[in-house]
Amino acid sequence: MVDFSLYLITDRHATRLPLLKALRMALEAGVRAVQLREKDLPIRSLLSLAEEMRALTAEFGARLFINDRVDAAVAVDADGVHLGRESMPPHAAKKIVGEKMLIGVSTHSLEEAVEAEADGADFITFGPVFATPSKMKYGPPKGLDALAEVTRRVSIPVFGLGGISARNIRAALDAGADGVGMISAILSAEDIRSAVKEIKQALTH
């Protein structure tokens, strides 16, 4: 069951603090779902970080997702795995992890969103909704109309992603998003705890 509306995605290059310290601050402020997404780490380093993040998220009763690496997710007893276009397809991942893990899928078009749901995804991220440097490779922002169309066409939870901030969360929710995914709005913030509290307030008002 997807029981969170704020989905923090890691990028250790986006924060001035050691990643685990930044994550602790975010968790202290109320983040309850974190995706470990450090694609440039070799598997042993990734696994070591995943183990530390599993202990940290468990301390706060938060969910841990591992990007792409189903094997690492199984190894650290994560709560889920997040898959991209080049990853193992959701139905195959389900055969490995069974029903005990949630499967998230990154989507960038209506077709990809519909396909992800049909293939067994439990939730999707969709974006980039707004302009953001980290998602430039996916082309221009999709916009709120595209987000709204996706939320109408799929029945699983949809998280708006890309350029999301406390200022535009309400627009994403009004377009039908069930929650938002964030990287720099939290990890690059001057005060991570305050940023999370502001974001959580925007999600509930």
Side-chain angles (χ1 to χ4, degrees):
M1 178 181 138
V2 178
D3 53 3
F4 53 91
S5 57
L6 176 56
Y7 191 31
L8 174 58
I9 301 161
T10 74
D11 178 353
R12 69 191 190 283
H13 305 297
T15 179
R16 293 178 296 278
L17 299 169
L19 181 59
L20 290 170
K21 184 175 182 179
L23 289 176
R24 177 172 287 279
M25 290 178 175
L27 290 162
E28 286 172 348
V31 167
R32 288 297 172 264
V34 181
Q35 179 197 146
L36 171 55
R37 185 182 186 275
E38 303 292 337
K39 291 189 170 186
D40 59 336
L41 280 181
I43 184 59
R44 288 196 175 197
S45 299
L46 181 75
L47 201 50
S48 176
L49 180 57
E51 287 170 346
E52 292 181 285
M53 283 180 57
R54 173 71 289 181
L56 182 60
T57 50
E59 184 182 332
F60 290 90
R63 290 186 179 271
L64 174 65
F65 293 82
I66 308 294
N67 181 270
D68 189 47
R69 297 298 301 244
V70 177
D71 52 351
V74 171
V76 302
D77 197 24
D79 298 287
V81 62
H82 195 97
L83 305 171
R85 291 297 293 173
E86 306 305 317
S87 305
M88 178 183 294
H91 74 269
K94 270 268 194 321
K95 287 184 178 177
I96 296 170
V97 304
E99 295 302 317
K100 68 174 188 169
M101 283 192 198
L102 291 169
I103 295 184
V105 175
S106 297
T107 69
H108 308 99
S109 69
L110 175 61
E111 292 73 26
E112 289 180 8
V114 170
E115 179 186 327
E117 180 178 32
D119 204 22
D122 294 300
F123 69 96
I124 60 172
T125 57
F126 176 79
V129 178
F130 304 106
T132 176
S134 68
K135 301 294 180 185
M136 291 290 278
K137 64 182 177 182
Y138 298 115
K142 306 299 179 183
L144 293 166
D145 289 345
L147 175 62
E149 186 176 13
V150 166
T151 64
R152 285 195 299 269
R153 290 284 299 276
V154 302
S155 57
I156 56 176
V158 178
F159 287 76
L161 182 68
I164 303 287
S165 70
R167 294 184 301 278
N168 58 30
I169 282 175
R170 177 46 53 191
L173 298 179
D174 288 346
D178 298 275
V180 293
M182 293 183 157
I183 302 174
S184 58
I186 292 174
L187 294 181
S188 299
E190 289 283 337
D191 183 333
I192 289 174
R193 291 187 190 90
S194 294
V196 171
K197 287 173 182 173
E198 184 181 4
I199 289 159
K200 285 183 67 70
Q201 190 169 23
L203 279 165
T204 55
H205 289 79

